[in-house]
Amino acid sequence: MSLAGLRQGKPEHAGHGEAGEQPHEVAADIHFAAPFSKENAGMDESVPGGAYNFAYLDEETKRMIRRAILKGIAIPGYQVPFASREMPMPYGWGTGGVQVSAACLTPDDSFKVIDQGADDTTNAVSIRKFFERTAGVETTERTAEATVIQTRHRIPETPLTEGQILVYQVPIPEPLRFLEPRETETRRMHALEDYGLMHVKLYEDIARHGEIATAYAYPVKVEGRYVMDPSPIPKFDNPKMEMAAIQLFGAGREQRIYAIPPYTRVVSLDFEDHPFVAGKAPHDCALCGASDTYLDEIITDDAGSRMYVCSDTDHCATRQEAAA
Amino acid sequence: MIALEGGFADVPVEASRAFRAVLEAMARPGRIEAVTGAQAPGLSVAASVVALTLIDGTTPVFLAEDVDSPALRQWLAFHTGAPVVARGAAMFALGGWAALGPLGAYAQGTPEYPDRSATLIVEVQRLENAGAKLTGPGIEREAWLNLPEVEAFLANRAQFPLGVDFIFCAGDRLAGLPRSTRVEG
Amino acid sequence: MYVAVKGGERAIDAAHEWLAEERRGDVSVPELSVAQIREQMALAVNRVMAEGSLYDPDLAALAIKQARGDLIEAIFLIRAYRTTLPRFGSAEPVETGEMACDRRISATFKDAPGGQVLGPTFDYTHRLIDFALAAEGEPPAAREALAEEAPMPRVTEMLSRDGLIQQEQASDEVPPDLTRAPLEFPAGRPLRLQALTRGDEGFVLSMAYSTQRGYGRNHPFVGELRIGAVPVEMEIPELGFSVEIGEVVLTECETVNQFTGSKTEPPQFTRGYGLVFGQTERKAISMALVDRALRWEELGEDNLGAPAQDEEFVIAHSDNIQATGFLEHIKLPHYVDFQAELELVRKLRAEAMAGQQQEAAE
């Protein structure tokens, strides 16, 4: 038995030195030369190997995501597992959408990012900046001019057209998750097209409240087969999902990608005697006067006065400009 | 050294443009897209571009006998690192329609994981919007595409959500046919 | 007149500038160097390396500095950086049986070949604040002795020789990689161990603790805990043999657990296994307990419904980067979905109140 507490004759701090330093030194050599300099991109100089590939992700990762997107397109509404990477932004803040956008963007694209319908919300600003830096793409706030639109919680009011891609950020892609937390179970339900649990839930809503008490992330059935979570968009937006553009959904933390090709049947779940209704606040926009848009509710004083304005800031501004 | 040639000159940019063409083609069956930038020995430009865009060391490939050659194997090994395997183990297959079959030999996906199925990159003589009538996801009303036959696609559609997916290539043009498309003669 | 809120970009830039200022703190106090953090906050560095899954003490120290000492934030920085690194290949499995141990203890045998080595441990310190540390000055040099040449074979091997402990099946199969393939359930032990070794220390600790308190109790003894350096070797295809590319410090814990036997197996001991980067023994012991709890099915035990026995529950919730991201994302704007709920609640309340009034009128 050796003497307790005595240090053994080992080199101090074993481990750092060659083996420890190797990763980042090598990384700088291997990464593709980026189409921007570290300086003009505002990359953090303190990060070793601070030059990244076009649209940040390495090519192998992009290929993996691209393959998942194509399978998602081939099986509309089915959640394709993908090896989501750890992005330089937190899970839950759009890492899935960012990876899908990174796999789709070309240098010719015009990229728009919205959060809650607005281009200037902090998370939208942050993601837009990320792609300005890493992909050098042109960005826009105009829905009609954008070729790729990444969104959180809204579908733009302006109808999307062929040639556009709408990328949704998805927190929980599994529509059955709140009814059954186990992945092994929900996967089986999708395989068997066993959606009884969902119908029971919706029916219980009606029994208790007289209507389906789901206001956002309202489940849909895609092309008559898969029940799908449309991400936390208000149910007001559900009817827009039958559109001319390609819709891609990315859930980074949950490692799922799914898709809706253009002109695909997307039906909000309902019952014959309780049909789906796409609701909104019963007001007009106080800025542009629109009566057919989804509204933000703004509290304007401490007496509880309220006003309602378009959540889609580009749509609202365009209407105001046209009226001026 | 032929194996070293015929790849993308600017990988991230060319691959991104090629992917968008393939995405549009898959998402809008009947849509014919043009691509550029790659040339494998014995393959069309389109099939070469698709291979470079989607295939790598993690995706086993089947080479049908009408395209298989030492030169193509070398090219694939150099540019993609993809292992060449039999039909049943392949995620991608390359070749002419007759040589690729039978379709049933490829992975069709499982009820839990229908995405685990092969994608066939099919070399054809020409692509035009005539012949078979296509309906389904991605198609507003109907679309037309000169498919090599109809029966095989009916059988493939019948097992939806299982099934294989197709990318047809002719020269520098390509068209997609996902398993979700309904095909009529 | 109401004008929509603008200026998100400027607000973000200003917040980042303020953050940088706060990170530095009072400039009249000397700035910490990365080397100081690496040397004097070594256990924090170890935790960041372990949960960041990247063995690089300098980078971990830098991440801790950048994260203002928030270790989960530092782990996040390391993870995001790690993802971008190219992969040249895989190392050969490390041989922990030949570890140059700084610490090696067994709770199952009073003595064993190689002996009990306490090493640099807090175990028997009295937890009294040492005010002398507040003053500057170097500690007296620790007494030294030459390392014994005697090998330190694994304690469980001695039990194994007599057939008293379950044999692990050797396998040459390439283990799956949690960071390169989507997680699938059932996950299997190689994937579970990967998830546990990079899992949140607090979560794995609590899960392990829950088994000790009876939620899936598995009677663990620390068969052996060893901490030390092992060489890392990699086979170079061009050379056709392995070369040593460096050294890593690891903590390994093997627990010896009671097992009453099953229909097919006579009574014998079973194992739980923990292996973690750096000197991280709380984590390694916790990992071994949770590993053992998750093996109930393989060992033919009953599922008692204990949280630590539930593979999907444990693995899906062990990652602190996933957890903190999703938890913290609820502070992002949710105006749109909240507005949808607000309208729904107003409508349901209006209907309910109309119903009550009607009832009252009748």
Side-chain angles (χ1 to χ4, degrees):
Chain A
M1 184 169 174
S2 59
L3 286 171
L6 290 199
R7 199 168 72 205
Q8 307 276 299
K10 274 303 297 169
E12 289 177 308
H13 322 306
H16 54 78
E18 280 165 5
E21 277 158 25
Q22 190 186 20
H24 53 268
E25 283 183 5
V26 174
D29 292 334
I30 295 297
H31 284 169
F32 289 98
F36 53 88
S37 73
K38 277 190 273 187
E39 290 70 30
N40 71 24
M43 279 294 175
D44 190 347
E45 287 292 337
S46 66
V47 178
Y52 294 98
N53 194 24
F54 171 74
Y56 183 75
L57 298 174
D58 60 277
E59 291 304 302
E60 186 183 330
T61 298
K62 279 192 241 173
R63 274 192 298 271
M64 176 270 295
I65 295 170
R66 286 167 179 161
R67 290 190 295 262
I69 291 172
L70 293 178
K71 286 299 175 192
I73 287 285
I75 317 163
Y78 164 74
Q79 302 164 51
V80 184
F82 83 111
S84 174
R85 300 295 195 242
E86 287 169 307
M87 299 297 287
M89 56 197 63
Y91 285 118
W93 300 51
T95 55
V98 164
Q99 289 179 80
V100 170
S101 291
C104 286
L105 282 172
T106 76
D108 321 319
D109 274 310
S110 184
F111 188 50
K112 173 181 165 84
V113 188
I114 49 173
D115 185 350
Q116 315 296 302
D119 300 83
D120 201 47
T121 34
T122 43
N123 200 41
V125 168
S126 170
I127 290 170
R128 187 163 59 235
K129 228 173 164 175
F130 178 74
F131 281 109
E132 280 171 358
R133 278 181 186 174
T134 59
V137 290
E138 190 189 311
T139 57
T140 181
E141 296 194 2
R142 294 292 192 204
T143 300
E145 289 168 12
T147 49
V148 178
I149 303 172
Q150 181 169 328
T151 182
R152 182 169 168 260
H153 296 188
R154 274 311 312 271
I155 298 175
E157 305 288 359
T158 313
L160 300 185
T161 57
E162 295 201 1
Q164 290 184 306
I165 298 175
L166 183 61
V167 178
Y168 295 76
Q169 300 174 201
V170 182
I172 301 277
E174 178 50 71
L176 306 169
R177 184 61 71 233
F178 300 109
L179 309 172
E180 168 54 61
R182 274 175 203 285
E183 169 67 16
T184 37
E185 281 299 307
T186 53
R187 188 157 284 280
R188 189 189 57 78
M189 290 177 191
H190 284 295
L192 298 174
E193 209 176 341
D194 172 8
Y195 296 124
L197 204 57
M198 180 65 89
H199 287 103
V200 169
K201 189 264 172 196
L202 298 178
Y203 194 78
E204 280 175 355
D205 270 8
I206 292 171
R208 186 173 308 153
H209 304 292
E211 64 180 280
I212 294 171
T214 299
Y216 63 93
Y218 190 105
V220 296
K221 196 162 197 181
V222 181
E223 202 59 24
R225 177 57 179 83
Y226 285 100
V227 167
M228 189 197 92
D229 180 283
S231 89
I233 57 172
K235 66 177 182 174
F236 173 82
D237 282 343
N238 273 26
K240 297 181 196 162
M241 299 185 89
E242 289 187 348
M243 63 165 73
I246 296 170
Q247 296 170 82
L248 304 177
F249 299 78
R253 191 179 39 79
E254 297 281 340
Q255 307 187 310
R256 298 289 183 272
I257 284 172
Y258 51 105
I260 304 178
Y263 312 114
T264 299
R265 272 186 299 138
V266 183
V267 178
S268 301
L269 299 183
D270 63 1
F271 296 94
E272 258 177 42
D273 48 347
H274 287 275
F276 170 82
V277 182
K280 62 170 280 245
H283 303 277
D284 293 347
C285 172
L287 298 179
C288 77
S291 59
D292 58 351
T293 60
Y294 194 74
L295 300 168
D296 280 344
E297 180 173 331
I298 315 271
I299 299 173
T300 51
D301 61 30
D302 55 11
S305 305
R306 283 163 164 74
M307 68 184 292
Y308 292 85
V309 298
C310 286
S311 116
D312 184 335
T313 50
D314 170 60
H315 183 74
C316 193
T318 306
R319 280 177 51 86
Q320 289 177 67
E321 281 163 26
Chain B
M1 179 75 182
I2 197 159
L4 303 178
E5 293 165 6
F8 287 142
D10 182 352
V11 175
V13 168
E14 287 179 272
S16 73
R17 292 192 178 119
F19 171 66
R20 285 289 281 280
V22 175
L23 175 61
E24 286 292 331
M26 248 335 174
R28 303 175 196 278
R31 171 81 57 106
I32 298 170
E33 296 274 334
V35 291
T36 168
Q39 180 64 69
L43 292 185
S44 63
V45 166
S48 310
V49 166
V50 172
L52 288 190
T53 306
L54 300 177
I55 292 172
D56 58 32
T58 66
T59 58
V61 173
F62 169 74
L63 298 178
E65 60 181 8
D66 61 337
V67 298
D68 193 1
S69 70
L72 179 59
R73 284 181 181 236
Q74 272 179 19
W75 186 88
L76 272 178
F78 179 78
H79 289 284
T80 72
V84 176
V85 297
R87 289 180 179 85
M91 281 177 72
F92 289 91
L94 276 160
W97 181 251
L100 280 170
L103 291 192
Y106 296 97
Q108 310 285 316
T110 67
E112 281 79 21
Y113 296 96
D115 57 302
R116 295 182 180 171
S117 67
T119 301
L120 276 56
I121 304 165
V122 188
E123 294 277 25
V124 293
Q125 287 299 313
R126 60 193 163 75
L127 282 171
E128 60 182 14
N129 293 120
K133 183 173 127 181
L134 315 180
T135 55
I139 303 166
E140 188 169 14
R141 280 177 286 275
E142 58 198 34
W144 304 85
L145 194 66
N146 60 322
L147 296 175
E149 63 168 288
V150 169
E151 286 303 316
F153 302 103
L154 292 178
N156 192 47
R157 177 66 182 82
Q159 48 171 348
F160 186 87
L162 305 191
V164 294
D165 307 303
F166 306 89
I167 301 170
F168 296 99
C169 300
D172 65 350
R173 288 154 34 103
L174 60 85
L177 195 80
R179 70 193 78 176
S180 60
T181 304
R182 292 175 199 86
V183 175
E184 291 170 54
Chain C
M1 175 62 202
Y2 172 79
V3 182
V5 185
K6 278 264 181 189
E9 188 153 357
R10 273 181 37 236
I12 288 174
D13 289 343
H16 290 176
E17 286 163 18
W18 193 353
L19 173 67
E21 242 179 61
E22 289 288 318
R23 175 186 300 129
R24 176 60 184 88
D26 183 348
V27 291
S28 68
V29 176
E31 186 185 356
L32 269 176
S33 73
V34 168
Q36 283 171 331
I37 297 170
R38 186 192 67 217
E39 297 303 313
Q40 297 170 45
M41 296 283 142
L43 298 187
V45 167
N46 286 345
R47 183 174 172 194
V48 170
M49 293 198 300
E51 294 171 35
S53 297
L54 184 69
Y55 197 95
D56 187 332
D58 290 292
L59 206 59
L62 175 60
I64 290 168
K65 179 174 178 173
Q66 185 179 335
R68 307 178 65 194
D70 179 337
L71 295 191
I72 291 183
E73 184 68 24
I75 292 160
F76 186 4
L77 290 167
I78 294 296
R79 292 266 196 96
Y81 177 65
R82 177 192 193 275
T83 316
T84 66
L85 299 177
R87 290 167 183 238
F88 302 114
S90 307
E92 298 292 307
V94 292
E95 184 43 80
T96 52
E98 289 164 19
M99 178 185 280
C101 294
D102 287 342
R103 172 163 164 78
R104 189 273 197 127
I105 53 169
S106 170
T108 49
F109 295 100
K110 186 169 183 183
D111 201 356
Q116 305 258 13
V117 180
L118 286 187
T121 176
F122 289 123
D123 283 356
Y124 307 103
T125 61
H126 295 142
R127 268 60 167 200
L128 304 169
I129 294 270
D130 182 357
F131 291 99
L133 284 176
E136 294 181 14
E138 299 298 327
R143 64 197 88 173
E144 290 195 29
L146 282 178
E148 284 180 20
E149 293 297 316
M152 285 186 186
R154 283 205 196 82
V155 169
T156 49
E157 270 164 31
M158 301 164 211
L159 287 170
S160 182
R161 215 170 293 147
D162 301 333
L164 286 168
I165 194 162
Q166 146 239 14
Q167 289 292 323
E168 301 293 344
Q169 295 301 316
S171 166
D172 283 331
E173 228 175 280
V174 176
D177 184 340
L178 189 62
T179 65
R180 302 310 264 193
L183 188 57
E184 229 180 78
F185 295 107
R189 195 170 178 220
L191 219 48
R192 291 198 306 245
L193 290 170
Q194 271 177 52
L196 290 174
T197 195
R198 75 204 303 254
D200 182 75
E201 180 177 309
F203 176 83
V204 181
L205 168 65
S206 293
M207 279 289 130
Y209 178 47
S210 74
T211 67
Q212 290 185 289
R213 288 197 63 260
Y215 288 85
R217 183 141 191 253
N218 53 45
H219 312 278
F221 297 95
V222 171
E224 183 171 354
L225 176 77
R226 52 170 66 198
I227 303 175
V230 294
V232 177
E233 293 184 359
M234 195 171 151
E235 192 181 310
I236 309 295
E238 287 80 0
L239 299 177
F241 54 84
S242 295
V243 296
E244 189 176 325
I245 56 170
E247 209 177 45
V248 294
V249 174
L250 298 173
T251 302
E252 182 186 58
C253 176
E254 275 198 288
T255 56
V256 175
N257 302 68
Q258 240 182 53
F259 182 55
T260 51
S262 67
K263 285 175 205 124
T264 55
E265 296 288 331
Q268 62 175 176
F269 291 104
T270 58
R271 315 173 202 233
Y273 187 71
L275 184 70
V276 187
F277 277 161
Q279 181 177 346
T280 43
E281 65 185 68
R282 182 186 301 125
K283 172 74 173 285
I285 300 168
S286 302
M287 176 176 168
L289 263 60
V290 177
D291 170 49
R292 179 60 186 80
L294 289 170
R295 299 184 73 186
W296 64 270
E297 199 165 12
E298 167 198 347
L299 296 171
E301 294 172 333
D302 290 333
N303 179 0
L304 306 168
Q309 285 184 306
D310 186 334
E311 174 188 275
E312 192 171 334
F313 179 81
V314 172
I315 303 305
H317 301 111
S318 61
D319 189 289
N320 53 23
I321 303 307
Q322 292 178 357
T324 201
F326 198 52
L327 179 101
E328 294 194 50
H329 107 283
I330 64 173
K331 66 196 172 188
L332 287 180
H334 283 79
Y335 322 134
V336 162
D337 23 343
F338 182 72
Q339 176 63 29
E341 287 280 84
L342 196 58
E343 283 306 316
L344 179 67
V345 171
R346 280 178 180 143
K347 188 156 171 266
L348 295 178
R349 282 176 62 84
E351 282 162 10
M353 282 192 253
Q356 281 167 7
Q357 278 167 1
Q358 200 176 344
E359 266 174 39
E362 275 164 8

